[in-house]
Amino acid sequence: MSEPARRRPDNRPVEEVMFPALLEDDIDDLYDNAPCGFLSTLLDGTIAKVNVTLLDWLGRSREELVGHCRFVDLLATGSRLYHETHFAPLLRMQGQIGGVALELRTVEGASLPVLVTSAVKTGGDGEPVLIRTTVFDARERRAYETELLRARQSADQDRERLRLLVTGLQRSLLPATLAVPPGMATAALYHMASPDEVGGDFYDLFPLGGHRWGFFLGDVRGKGIGAAAVTAAARYTLRAAAVYDPEPAAVLANLNAVLYQDYRNRGHRHCTVIFGVLEREGTGYTASIAAGGHPPALLIRANGATDYQSTDGGTLIGILAEPRVAARTIRLDPGDTLILYSDGLTEARTAPHGERFGDDALRDFIESRGPTEAAAAVRALTGLLAGFDEVDDDVAVMAFSVSRE
């Protein structure tokens, strides 16, 4: 049931008596003590009328302002310039302008942020007569905006610190410089898909002794600190295992044993990886490689012929107790270049339709450059990455070529 109406002793509803009284409120009092400032000015800006609210904000008297000051005289220096160059011209052209942020100057010289709305009043003949202006106190809004800006600046600083931390951590997972076997040229690149998250791609090229060099390039599933931890473990395990037994399949078996230990843990991560050993033979090198679920290496011959060196059949490293690895041997003669890369390169999206770049497109791109060497190949791939529409995964590339001399 609805609540019965409240009634006076004469049995008339209270609302019936109160509402007319409210409507008969003193208009002058309503103008003077409104919760916002009111003023009227002549067309030249001379103040003709101002309410008590605005006078109290400014600490001024009506006698000081009416007939003696222009509205622009109440503004701070910067707002005065804006009023003369933008506010007043727009008001003359449009007849009204609203919600403009300005600053008034109080009698003590303090700054009072306000929002100003002005409209030109016209007479019966349509000609402008005066300007009516409403002024809203914007101190709380300015304080809020200042706090918001401070919070944003703090967030930007935190984000920059995070990026520096991520960049530093990423660099620690990669070799500071890439080794250069005798008679070879080497180059590498690492493209971070996100500056806020460390990736799981890794590579290295290092001496094994006896004219042999080990190399690897891999990709740990996922991103973040968890991926970084597995990346570090994989990198150091591969180097240590290569010293103990450099046979590529045995090295990957050792890495698999390390990663598979955490297979049943929630934070377990696996990876793809290609590992190989370079051995000097005459004027060139022999590359013995083994891969576990990793994209095949791309070989560019001295005459420009380009093709993938298939390592199909290898399983991901770290998900099976006894992994399968695919192995093969590649002969590198003077002028030949071998490129290893992570799948972020072929899975990048191209403009304008956002299609995956793909293996065939990568081979065609490299082959179209003709005979090349490590540094030139990496430069070309760096430019290729810059032209992609979207690269949503980290990309690692390592290339080495046998000198023609």
Side-chain angles (χ1 to χ4, degrees):
M1 295 179 62
S2 61
E3 184 178 333
R6 295 175 297 165
R7 293 184 176 274
R8 286 164 43 88
D10 60 2
N11 207 35
R12 294 171 63 193
V14 174
E15 290 81 358
E16 184 179 321
V17 178
M18 291 178 61
F19 289 167
L22 291 172
L23 295 174
E24 293 169 4
D25 198 0
D26 185 349
I27 299 300
D28 289 336
D29 180 70
L30 181 61
Y31 175 86
D32 264 336
N33 299 295
C36 59
F38 289 125
L39 75 156
S40 299
T41 67
L42 303 181
L43 296 180
D44 66 357
T46 302
I47 297 173
K49 189 176 182 180
V50 60
N51 74 341
V52 172
T53 300
L54 185 55
L55 291 172
D56 288 344
W57 289 351
L58 297 173
R60 301 290 191 99
S61 67
R62 186 173 274 113
E63 290 73 18
E64 288 181 79
L65 302 185
V66 174
H68 300 290
C69 290
R70 296 184 305 152
F71 173 61
V72 71
D73 298 330
L74 305 179
L75 298 174
T77 303
S79 294
R80 187 178 305 171
L81 179 62
Y82 183 85
H83 181 277
E84 294 298 322
T85 58
H86 292 79
F87 189 97
L90 283 174
L91 181 60
R92 285 194 294 270
M93 287 190 296
Q94 300 173 175
Q96 61 180 13
I97 186 171
V100 177
L102 298 173
E103 285 190 354
L104 300 180
R105 186 67 66 189
T106 69
V107 69
E108 293 87 2
S111 176
L112 174 64
V114 293
L115 291 177
V116 176
T117 296
S118 293
V120 177
K121 176 178 171 55
T122 58
D125 57 359
E127 291 298 316
V129 176
L130 54 83
I131 299 171
R132 288 174 173 168
T133 298
T134 305
V135 181
F136 292 94
D137 187 346
R139 282 175 289 193
E140 289 190 7
R141 172 172 173 167
R142 179 68 60 84
Y144 169 75
E145 290 174 345
T146 300
E147 185 60 31
L148 192 64
L149 178 60
R150 187 179 296 114
R152 180 173 181 176
Q153 290 172 340
S154 177
D156 288 342
Q157 290 172 356
D158 289 342
R159 188 176 297 109
E160 184 60 26
R161 283 193 291 267
L162 174 62
R163 289 177 178 176
L164 291 174
L165 177 62
V166 168
T167 301
L169 179 56
Q170 193 73 70
R171 286 175 179 168
S172 71
L173 299 174
L174 301 171
T177 57
L178 204 59
V180 183
M184 272 194 160
T186 63
L189 74 87
Y190 195 101
H191 176 86
M192 295 178 65
S194 169
D196 300 329
E197 217 171 12
V198 65
D201 292 11
F202 58 95
Y203 61 83
D204 205 352
L205 174 61
F206 54 97
L208 289 173
H211 305 291
R212 293 184 303 174
W213 297 73
F215 64 90
F216 57 79
L217 190 145
D219 182 2
V220 174
R221 179 185 65 86
K223 297 180 182 296
I225 299 300
V230 176
T231 297
R235 183 167 180 260
Y236 293 118
T237 297
L238 288 169
R239 290 191 64 139
V243 173
Y244 173 73
D245 182 355
E247 199 278 317
V251 172
L252 293 190
N254 271 284
L255 176 60
N256 187 82
V258 171
L259 298 186
Y260 187 73
Q261 291 176 5
D262 295 326
Y263 179 69
R264 300 189 182 280
N265 294 341
R266 186 175 181 179
H268 170 263
R269 297 186 185 249
H270 57 263
C271 71
T272 68
V273 64
I274 184 167
F275 179 89
V277 174
L278 290 168
E279 188 166 4
R280 190 71 182 266
E281 287 190 1
T283 58
Y285 276 85
T286 295
S288 301
I289 62 173
H294 199 80
L298 189 58
L299 177 62
I300 305 97
R301 292 295 183 187
N303 61 5
T306 304
D307 208 355
Y308 287 110
Q309 303 303 296
S310 176
T311 48
D312 294 340
T315 57
L316 298 173
I317 301 301
I319 63 170
L320 296 174
E322 298 293 336
R324 296 191 306 274
V325 297
R328 67 177 299 152
T329 300
I330 305 168
R331 173 66 187 178
L332 300 176
D333 293 313
D336 292 347
T337 299
L338 191 67
I339 299 176
L340 281 64
Y341 60 93
S342 58
D343 60 9
L345 178 59
T346 52
E347 292 182 359
R349 296 188 180 276
T350 61
H353 304 299
E355 299 174 345
R356 297 290 186 186
F357 186 57
D359 299 331
D360 292 342
L362 174 60
R363 182 191 58 217
D364 294 344
F365 173 81
I366 292 296
E367 192 168 44
S368 68
R369 266 65 190 162
T372 188
E373 49 85 31
V378 168
R379 282 196 301 271
L381 292 175
T382 301
L384 176 68
L385 282 169
F388 283 145
D389 185 53
E390 180 183 355
V391 183
D392 52 15
D393 195 7
D394 287 12
V395 176
V397 174
M398 182 170 64
F400 36 87
S401 52
V402 181
S403 173
R404 291 178 181 272
E405 296 179 3

